[in-house]
Amino acid sequence: LSKIIALITDFGIEDIYVGVMKGVISQINPQATIIDITHHIPPQNLYNANYSLVSAISYFPSDTIYVVVVDPGVGSKRKAIALHSPNNPYFIGPDNGLFTGILNQFPNIEARELTNQAYCRHGIVSKTFHGRDIFSPVAAHLASGVMFEHLGDLISLESLIRLPLPPYQVTPEGIIGIVQHIDHFGNIITTIPSDLVREKSWLVVMGEIQIPSQTNYSEVKEGELLSLISSDGWVEIAVNRGNAAERLQLKLGDSILIGKKE
Amino acid sequence: LSKIIALITDFGIEDIYVGVMKGVISQINPQATIIDITHHIPPQNLYNANYSLVSAISYFPSDTIYVVVVDPGVGSKRKAIALHSPNNPYFIGPDNGLFTGILNQFPNIEARELTNQAYCRHGIVSKTFHGRDIFSPVAAHLASGVMFEHLGDLISLESLIRLPLPPYQVTPEGIIGIVQHIDHFGNIITTIPSDLVREKSWLVVMGEIQIPSQTNYSEVKEGELLSLISSDGWVEIAVNRGNAAERLQLKLGDSILIGKKE
Amino acid sequence: LSKIIALITDFGIEDIYVGVMKGVISQINPQATIIDITHHIPPQNLYNANYSLVSAISYFPSDTIYVVVVDPGVGSKRKAIALHSPNNPYFIGPDNGLFTGILNQFPNIEARELTNQAYCRHGIVSKTFHGRDIFSPVAAHLASGVMFEHLGDLISLESLIRLPLPPYQVTPEGIIGIVQHIDHFGNIITTIPSDLVREKSWLVVMGEIQIPSQTNYSEVKEGELLSLISSDGWVEIAVNRGNAAERLQLKLGDSILIGKKE
């Protein structure tokens, strides 16, 4: 039974890039099951890719092979890597900070540099598209049963690039976070984790506007603002059947303050 | 042989939501074949979801499992349901009117409320994302051979929510319908069914503009307006190699009058 | 083992059209593996479809079945065709120039007109959607083992429509090409093939602006212009971590001049 290969990229779907990655996988392993997580990471946005990967992994089989390609440094000296530990997923992509959350979550993971040319595309690797020439073929070979140990040399976790992750801060006035994602509906996902708040106990404060917490969208009238716990565990701001990001004119990186309900 | 799971949602594909639904399915049934019908239902538009589902079903195997998630009432008291009758497809989603056309088309279908927690996500169900926590796992279990009867209690068809479907009207001046869909090319799909007209016998009347009917796009010159029967059986208005919705400044819900050719 | 079916269309993914093509394939061959190359060919743009197909084929298994549907003449007298030669891929679509590059690349390919109704959709073929009614069912039957010879009558290659392909010209001042594609990142792909230049030896000249060639994006500072060989083998113009098409205000069809570095 072949493992699942799950893809996260910033390639969009207008071009042939994602299709070509799947073609390369099918040349090596025609039976591979490929799932698109998203190809709409904002171009070159490592933070959003890290957020999307961390948010997705509990919903996939535990031996899934994640290929994450947001790779502005392709062709430079940045390393191509794979991460894995026994009974856990495989993560493949460039060493540029994409896997910061994964490294925090799996402290005993092993890292290997993808130095074994045998698992790259027929020994021909371009300087501009490693998603096609390295990461996809390596994933296809892993799905076909190649051992993680054979992909290349072990490298130390300390040597890997990590992002300064989007912060939150507990202050006397309340918890301060930032907008880390705005979804298709205009729902605003903050960097404030749900375990810092208790159900229905908080208030998002934006100058004159105070947005009380609820448990689901339908607890307020159509068109009204609410705050709630997002489906992936963050404090979220939404409008019932509407678009909160447009209403509040918020964008990625903006500050959010939450206080306690009186 | 696993049944096919076909998805219709308003989630878009920028976020991880659709990928996560597929991940959840693959946790339960790694062999499932999943087909995306569309994830671009306009947000919260139950009419468009109903239209897309009804338009799609004759093109899929008869035992397909349709998962339809346009769900503004998620987390409220609206029911989660599945519909099925012997030798017919399975339909899974919220009870909010999405399945109005299906209920008309399959008058002897059975409805069950998805009360059996065993087929939901590991007994953990959020208040904001039942596509992930209820509808996808139930579909995966059905694809794996779980019996429809085991999903939950039978409920009466009379108890289900139905939409007032987009209307058409036969009047002395002609047939009046509305715009029910505008496609990627700007083709305008009306609510007027093709069996109300005979081939090449009608005229769309928009004030001064009269648009004669044809059998295919190429019967008029490039850039000219025409009307024809859409590929899914409705009166359509188009421009040969152009965008009719932009040309005529029409949008969803606008009225359309069709008369007879003299 | 079923062959892979790879799709290129201008249908977009907002509507049910692509999903319905996959449904039709699954009715005939539920085991078929379908890969989306792209559905975002600009509407009715035969040049871009030809470019995308030619750019993709070396990354797929050699027996892949390509279904290419950009079909403004659907329902008219334009032929429906399939192309194939032993040990090579299958190409299915309308005879309107889409396969110009394929005909150049496979001079000994055979062409058949899809006249055998047995492999079309249940004998019911609309005048507006042959992607669903002819091309997808034929692909599904080929994937199931139907012989190419059974699809219909042989027709001569000379009878097929060919596009005047986007040109380049070698002149005393340099090589003149045009913009043939702009990708999701705003990278500009020209019609100038990489074998006309030597690594790092050229200069894109746009009035006052001179853009030197590099081997990868990271060789210039963030925000700076560069030229390089694209991942599919054309002279490309890019901005490191930025959008070259926006910066230079270039669009499809614009002229590009490249000269030698002094």
Side-chain angles (χ1 to χ4, degrees), chain C residues 27-93:
Chain C
Q27 286 179 327
I28 296 165
N29 183 338
Q31 300 300 298
T33 298
I34 305 169
I35 296 180
D36 300 302
I37 298 181
T38 181
H39 298 291
H40 289 81
I41 300 297
Q44 285 113 22
N45 189 324
L46 303 174
Y47 290 95
N48 196 264
N50 175 75
Y51 161 77
S52 297
L53 176 61
V54 168
S55 302
I57 62 172
S58 55
Y59 305 107
F60 281 80
S62 60
D63 61 352
T64 295
I65 301 163
Y66 298 90
V67 177
V68 189
V69 193
V70 176
D71 195 10
V74 61
S76 71
K77 288 185 177 164
R78 73 99 186 88
K79 295 191 183 86
I81 60 172
L83 306 174
H84 176 61
S85 49
N87 304 315
N88 285 317
Y90 301 79
F91 301 94
I92 301 172

Side-chain angles (χ1 to χ4, degrees), chain A residues 14-15 17 23 27 31 132, chain C residues 1 38 59 181 183-184 231:
Chain A
E14 305 94 330
D15 304 304
Y17 301 145
Q27 286 180 326
Q31 300 299 299
R132 177 191 70 192
Chain C
L1 188 61
T38 181
Y59 305 107
H181 186 69
D183 79 7
H184 177 71
S231 61

Side-chain angles (χ1 to χ4, degrees), chain B:
Chain B
L1 188 61
S2 188
K3 296 173 188 73
I4 283 167
I5 298 174
L7 308 179
I8 296 177
T9 77
D10 63 350
F11 293 161
I13 57 165
E14 305 93 329
D15 304 304
I16 66 170
Y17 302 145
V18 170
V20 156
M21 285 176 63
K22 294 177 182 174
V24 166
I25 290 170
S26 74
Q27 286 179 326
I28 296 165
N29 182 338
Q31 300 300 299
T33 298
I34 305 169
I35 295 181
D36 299 303
I37 298 181
T38 180
H39 299 292
H40 289 81
I41 301 296
Q44 285 112 23
N45 189 324
L46 304 174
Y47 291 94
N48 196 264
N50 174 77
Y51 161 76
S52 297
L53 176 61
V54 168
S55 301
I57 62 171
S58 56
Y59 305 108
F60 283 80
S62 61
D63 61 351
T64 295
I65 301 164
Y66 297 90
V67 177
V68 189
V69 193
V70 176
D71 195 9
V74 61
S76 71
K77 288 184 177 164
R78 73 99 185 89
K79 296 192 183 85
I81 60 172
L83 307 174
H84 176 62
S85 49
N87 304 316
N88 285 316
Y90 300 80
F91 302 93
I92 302 173
D95 174 29
N96 60 14
L98 283 179
F99 299 120
T100 304
I102 297 301
L103 293 169
N104 292 342
Q105 193 168 332
F106 298 93
N108 298 317
I109 209 164
E110 282 189 359
R112 290 183 181 271
E113 188 173 357
L114 300 174
T115 48
N116 190 341
Q117 299 283 319
Y119 302 123
C120 296
R121 205 170 82 81
H122 304 157
I124 321 152
V125 172
S126 74
K127 290 183 171 167
T128 54
F129 193 2
H130 288 183
R132 177 191 70 193
D133 299 338
I134 300 180
F135 306 126
S136 291
V138 164
H141 284 294
L142 281 176
S144 295
V146 163
M147 302 285 289
F148 177 66
E149 289 66 28
H150 293 170
L151 298 181
D153 300 330
L154 263 182
I155 52 179
S156 77
L157 298 186
E158 291 68 38
S159 74
L160 301 179
I161 308 290
R162 289 171 195 243
L163 301 174
L165 282 184
Y168 63 87
Q169 224 183 326
V170 182
T171 75
E173 302 95 86
I175 310 169
I176 301 172
I178 65 171
V179 176
Q180 71 172 325
H181 186 69
I182 294 171
D183 78 7
H184 177 70
F185 299 96
N187 298 325
I188 295 159
I189 316 296
T190 73
T191 52
I192 301 167
S194 63
D195 41 316
L196 288 190
V197 295
R198 270 177 315 125
E199 200 176 35
K200 289 197 156 199
S201 69
W202 76 93
L203 211 54
V204 176
V205 182
M206 303 186 62
E208 298 292 287
I209 306 172
Q210 299 206 337
I211 307 169
S213 56
Q214 309 289 350
T215 57
N216 72 72
Y217 302 111
S218 298
E219 284 184 322
V220 299
K221 287 189 203 141
E222 197 169 324
E224 284 187 7
L225 284 156
L226 72 153
S227 181
L228 74 173
I229 301 302
S230 79
S231 61
D232 41 10
W234 305 96
V235 171
E236 170 182 332
I237 306 167
V239 167
N240 184 19
R241 308 192 188 208
N243 188 308
E246 278 178 15
R247 171 82 65 87
L248 297 170
Q249 294 285 307
L250 285 172
K251 54 183 198 310
L252 290 182
D254 284 353
S255 281
I256 300 292
L257 169 65
I258 75 171
K260 280 198 181 147
K261 276 185 186 164
E262 300 294 300

Side-chain angles (χ1 to χ4, degrees), chain A residues 10-27 30-32 34 36 39-41 43-44 46 71-76 121 126-129 132-133, chain C residues 1-2 4 13 33 35-41 52-53 55-61 181-185 187 189 199 215-218 228-232 236 240-242:
Chain A
D10 64 349
F11 293 160
I13 57 164
E14 305 94 330
D15 304 304
I16 66 170
Y17 301 145
V18 170
V20 156
M21 285 176 62
K22 294 177 182 175
V24 167
I25 291 170
S26 74
Q27 286 180 326
Q31 300 299 299
I34 305 169
D36 300 303
H39 298 292
H40 288 81
I41 301 295
Q44 285 114 21
L46 304 174
D71 195 10
V74 61
S76 71
R121 204 171 82 81
S126 74
K127 290 182 171 168
T128 54
F129 193 2
R132 177 191 70 192
D133 299 338
Chain C
L1 188 61
S2 186
I4 283 167
I13 57 165
T33 298
I35 296 180
D36 300 302
I37 298 181
T38 181
H39 298 291
H40 289 81
I41 300 297
S52 297
L53 176 61
S55 302
I57 62 172
S58 55
Y59 305 107
F60 281 80
H181 186 69
I182 294 170
D183 79 7
H184 177 71
F185 299 96
N187 298 325
I189 316 294
E199 202 176 34
T215 57
N216 73 72
Y217 303 111
S218 298
L228 74 173
I229 301 301
S230 79
S231 61
D232 42 12
E236 170 182 332
N240 184 19
R241 308 191 188 209

